[in-house]
Amino acid sequence: MTPLATQFVASFRRAIEAEKAALRQDSSAYEVALEGGRPLSEMTQGEFTFYAFQLPRPSERVTPGVSCSLREPSGLEVAVTVAQLSGNELVLRSEVRLHIREGAYRLLFVPWFLYDEMHQALEHVPFPEMALRAFGKQPVERQPLPAPEFEFQLNSTQQAAVRLALESQLSVIWGPPGTGKTTTLAQLIALLVGQQRRVLITSTTHAALDQVLARLRDTRGLQELFDRHQVLQLGSSGHDCCLDEVVQATQSGAHTMLGRSRPRLEGLLRMHAELLPLLQKAQVAAAQAHQLDLFAEAPGVLEVRELTPLLGPERAARWSSLEAQAQCNLLQRLCGRLEALKMGWRLRARSARTTLASGQQQAVEDSRILLTTLANSYVSPLLKEQHFDSVVVEEAGMALLPAIYLAAGRARHQVVLVGDPQQLPAILASRDGYAQQAMGRNIFAVLGERPERVMLDVQYRMHPVIGELVSRLFYQGGLRHQPPAQAEAIAAEAPFPGEALVVVDLAGQARTDPGDYSRYNPESAHRAVALARESAAQGRSVAVIAPYRKQVQRIQQLLQDDPLVDCATVHRFQGHERDVVILDITDAPPLDPGVLLAGRGANSSSANLLNVSLSRARGKLILIAPVDYVRRRAAGTVLAQVLEWALQHGTCRA
């Protein structure tokens, strides 16, 4: 490791320790609910016992090799390790024998366990020079190539971004909202694969990877890789290329055998459990009869009704007429056959599990395009020794800097950073200045202005009025607009027919409850719900965004799970879009404006929050805000600038 790489790693580790210290002050563990639960009698390994559970929903924290705790229904917590994960079946390894019973089981993870894994992964970075290059600390070479042939119809900046990424060791694709970033990525990856490159695509969230994967699926140039099961996603996937589905396709025999072995073993175990008390009863009866009279035949002790559940009516009738010793002998032979059958099916199941486990590693080894979250990239044992020709970091602006360093350090030839510096950054629990600087900054801020950066400048999502608001306030007017035809159709509908941008000037009162700093505003909550229902009645998808948890909870209660309306804070909607967006700023007298939306400057966190909120809308954007209050008490803030622009170029309603 070079001195500079050593310095980087030391800096990251110091920041990680500061973040862990902040997290330790919150004693609550992250919980993952489990369903089912059964011992795996076919799996043994020294002193360890194994148990299978079902995961109701995927979680990036549940990764093979990770240590955690299992909370039993009684409240007892047992240390376990995630041994295997196949689809939604989870296998846990324990040093303590568990007695599985009815009730709720949960996996518990300490909040800082991902940072422990990150700290350890920093010890072994395969290509530290590439990792440093991703931070602008090494010279970047560019090798000109012949003009590529594009499958997709790309605009000029999209084409420039693809060409740069193909030719350069480092490239930055700046993709403002709605500028076709995913389409550009799909075209780039198809061309990289055509150059015989092996590609890792990673991001902070499964949702972002799912969007990329869906676009890759529609790329003709990649169809052969999908057919050969060489596109692989570790984690959730709506396609036939998640790890479990690929292993099923490539190891179908082992998967079928494991499926057959489970019910067979369960049936044999049930029979054995039913047989043992009958055998004990027959043995006692035979011994007593033998002691009482060595010359008389001992009558059978087991009756038809006892034997029928185990043997069926015909065999039960025959066996019930036999003497006790004969019953005992037959039951002992049956017990021996059951033991032999159990052993046979255990061996088959164990062999199938071993084959599937090696099949998982083989599927990773054979992949040409691999998608996984940044956390999984350094936690999963399947990826420990994996290197790639090209690494693409999607939503790079949201990623922790050490995670980007680790991902870039897997690249032999090139790193592509994709994202938008004007959207939401990573969130740290620590307020330590060093941690914020070394770990929580946006990678785009670290790199600054560079010749290896291309900004996509045509947005295809938003109505031109909404798009121009976003462009003027957050991208210095650098976006052009080619909205979809449906944008005008959405704007033409209720509420406020014919208007794409509306300010609802609503007087209300912002409140807090004792001991809780989160705000709510009953008047604006009711108005937001009424407008959302009016939009949903047109068959449109609606997002209601509020900056405060308490306001979101209040609106959700009023909505009563309307399937066309989602309500959340802005972080939930990054990477998504809706036909109609209603932004309820919540702030109102008598309180001063909160820090969430009332920041100053285009680079403030408030600007990022507002940018993401506004740019989710396709055809209609409604801002609920007390206009006079914002003008008087939030003058000069980004929120005030947004409101004034909307009043000048949109319409105001009471």
Side-chain angles (χ1 to χ4, degrees):
M1 190 182 297
T2 66
L4 184 56
T6 301
Q7 180 182 343
F8 258 68
V9 169
S11 175
F12 288 145
R13 284 179 166 169
R14 177 179 166 185
I16 288 169
E17 290 305 316
E19 178 68 2
K20 287 169 60 178
L23 289 171
R24 285 193 182 98
Q25 296 178 8
D26 180 6
S27 60
S28 61
Y30 181 87
E31 298 187 6
V32 175
L34 301 178
E35 295 178 349
R38 57 188 175 84
L40 292 176
S41 57
E42 74 271 17
M43 292 184 67
T44 57
Q45 189 182 78
E47 300 299 319
F48 296 114
T49 54
F50 294 81
Y51 304 87
F53 289 88
Q54 299 295 311
L55 273 177
R57 61 188 61 84
S59 170
E60 68 177 27
R61 288 173 169 80
V62 182
T63 303
V66 168
S67 298
C68 50
S69 298
L70 178 69
R71 179 187 291 161
E72 298 184 336
S74 64
L76 178 68
E77 294 181 12
V78 179
V80 295
T81 300
V82 178
Q84 293 179 12
L85 179 60
S86 178
N88 65 344
E89 184 187 74
L90 174 71
V91 177
L92 300 177
R93 183 181 69 198
S94 171
E95 294 184 13
V96 178
R97 187 171 296 278
L98 306 178
H99 300 286
I100 303 297
R101 58 179 67 88
E102 293 291 330
Y105 284 83
R106 294 182 179 275
L107 284 183
L108 308 180
F109 297 86
V110 293
W112 55 88
F113 90 98
L114 283 177
Y115 292 109
D116 287 337
E117 296 289 338
M118 182 184 286
H119 191 284
Q120 184 176 352
L122 286 167
E123 294 179 8
H124 306 287
V125 178
F127 304 105
E129 294 297 312
M130 285 301 301
L132 291 171
R133 189 167 282 116
F135 283 73
K137 299 303 181 183
Q138 293 292 327
V140 176
E141 297 179 5
R142 182 169 180 177
Q143 181 180 0
L145 297 172
E149 293 185 9
F150 298 115
E151 174 181 330
F152 297 119
Q153 194 170 16
L154 304 182
N155 63 44
S156 59
T157 53
Q158 291 172 331
Q159 291 182 24
V162 171
R163 284 196 297 269
L164 172 66
L166 290 172
E167 297 175 353
S168 181
Q169 289 177 306
L170 171 67
S171 58
V172 179
I173 300 177
W174 180 1
T179 53
K181 180 182 61 175
T182 305
T183 298
T184 305
L185 265 184
Q187 180 65 83
L188 168 62
I189 291 159
L191 291 169
L192 288 172
V193 170
Q195 294 179 346
Q196 304 307 308
R197 298 286 175 100
R198 187 181 187 217
V199 183
L200 170 67
I201 307 170
T202 186
S203 179
T204 53
T205 65
H206 285 297
L209 295 174
D210 289 341
Q211 289 183 359
V212 174
L213 183 58
R215 200 69 181 99
L216 295 177
R217 200 63 162 122
D218 294 334
T219 306
R220 290 194 308 274
L222 298 175
Q223 189 57 53
E224 186 177 349
L225 290 190
F226 279 96
D227 293 342
R228 296 204 305 257
H229 307 292
Q230 290 183 307
V231 180
L232 180 66
Q233 184 181 13
L234 298 186
S236 64
S237 170
H239 303 270
D240 56 356
C241 53
C242 72
L243 182 61
D244 187 47
E245 290 168 339
V246 170
V247 174
Q248 285 186 37
T250 57
Q251 307 289 339
S252 58
H255 194 273
T256 300
M257 179 56 69
L258 184 60
R260 289 177 59 198
S261 67
R262 288 173 185 162
R264 295 294 181 91
L265 268 172
E266 290 170 359
L268 291 169
L269 289 168
R270 276 197 308 273
M271 287 183 66
H272 194 260
E274 294 170 1
L275 184 149
L276 284 178
L278 299 179
L279 176 59
Q280 291 170 356
K281 185 176 180 180
Q283 287 172 331
V284 170
Q288 289 175 344
H290 183 71
Q291 292 168 0
L292 291 173
D293 187 354
L294 296 178
F295 301 99
E297 291 186 355
V301 69
L302 299 175
E303 302 176 2
V304 173
R305 61 178 177 79
E306 295 175 285
L307 293 168
T308 296
L310 181 66
L311 304 175
E314 294 184 6
R315 291 175 71 195
R318 292 198 305 271
W319 285 31
S320 65
S321 64
L322 301 176
E323 62 176 0
Q325 187 60 54
Q327 287 181 340
C328 184
N329 292 341
L330 287 171
L331 289 174
Q332 284 176 331
R333 286 200 292 272
L334 178 58
C335 187
R337 286 199 296 273
L338 289 178
E339 289 289 353
L341 288 169
K342 282 194 299 181
M343 179 59 68
W345 282 107
R346 280 196 183 108
L347 291 174
R348 294 184 185 96
R350 188 180 306 167
S351 175
R353 285 189 180 278
T354 301
T355 299
L356 291 174
S358 63
Q360 288 186 339
Q361 189 65 61
Q362 191 62 51
V364 170
E365 298 281 352
D366 292 343
S367 64
R368 296 281 307 284
I369 300 172
L370 191 144
L371 303 93
T372 191
T373 61
L374 283 162
N376 207 30
S377 71
Y378 57 81
V379 169
S380 172
L382 294 171
L383 298 178
K384 292 295 185 186
E385 305 299 325
Q386 297 300 305
H387 306 154
F388 300 84
D389 300 306
S390 307
V391 169
V392 177
V393 183
E394 164 69 309
E395 291 189 338
M398 294 181 65
L400 295 170
L401 294 180
I404 292 178
Y405 186 89
L406 289 170
R410 291 183 181 272
R412 292 187 184 91
H413 301 300
Q414 65 191 155
V415 175
V416 182
L417 301 175
V418 186
D420 183 0
Q422 299 303 110
Q423 299 203 25
L424 302 178
I427 298 175
L428 292 183
S430 174
R431 293 293 173 261
D432 179 82
Y434 190 91
Q436 292 286 340
Q437 178 76 6
M439 189 168 164
R441 278 191 300 161
N442 189 307
I443 185 62
F444 300 105
V446 174
L447 287 169
E449 293 286 342
R450 296 188 62 86
E452 299 87 13
R453 185 173 80 174
V454 174
M455 175 178 156
L456 309 182
D457 64 0
V458 181
Q459 72 85 12
Y460 301 93
R461 173 191 298 168
M462 297 169 276
H463 188 285
V465 175
I466 303 170
E468 192 62 12
L469 164 63
V470 171
S471 176
R472 292 287 177 185
L473 294 182
F474 305 110
Y475 299 98
Q476 294 75 52
L479 295 182
R480 294 175 289 148
H481 314 293
Q482 292 186 23
Q486 65 170 340
E488 287 289 354
I490 297 167
E493 296 172 347
F496 315 118
E499 300 292 343
L501 179 59
V502 180
V503 176
V504 175
D505 185 5
L506 179 69
Q509 284 198 327
R511 309 173 188 180
T512 60
D513 290 331
D516 190 344
Y517 294 104
S518 188
R519 303 179 179 193
Y520 63 96
N521 183 326
E523 293 86 355
S524 66
H526 281 89
R527 189 63 184 276
V529 168
L531 292 169
R533 286 179 171 154
E534 194 173 354
S535 295
Q538 314 301 315
R540 299 299 183 181
S541 60
V542 185
V544 181
I545 301 175
Y548 300 105
R549 169 182 50 83
K550 264 305 202 33
Q551 185 74 346
V552 166
Q553 291 173 348
R554 197 174 193 89
I555 293 171
Q556 287 173 338
Q557 291 170 355
L558 293 170
L559 284 170
Q560 298 179 338
D561 297 325
D562 190 313
L564 288 175
V565 182
D566 289 326
C567 177
T569 57
V570 64
H571 294 82
R572 161 86 177 276
F573 291 105
Q574 175 135 324
H576 298 272
E577 56 190 80
R578 296 292 188 273
D579 295 332
V580 178
V581 168
I582 300 168
L583 174 60
D584 174 10
I585 74 161
T586 309
D587 284 338
L591 303 178
D592 288 329
V595 297
L596 286 175
L597 296 183
R600 299 174 185 272
N603 295 320
S604 67
S605 59
S606 298
N608 293 341
L609 286 164
L610 284 165
N611 181 23
V612 174
S613 301
L614 307 176
S615 60
R616 302 308 95 192
R618 296 190 188 104
K620 193 180 291 285
L621 173 62
I622 302 172
L623 308 176
I624 302 177
V627 174
D628 185 60
Y629 166 86
V630 173
R631 284 173 169 166
R632 287 186 296 104
R633 300 175 70 169
T637 64
V638 180
L639 174 61
Q641 294 173 32
V642 167
L643 196 60
E644 291 301 334
W645 202 98
L647 289 169
Q648 291 174 25
H649 298 87
T651 187
C652 183
R653 300 293 180 88

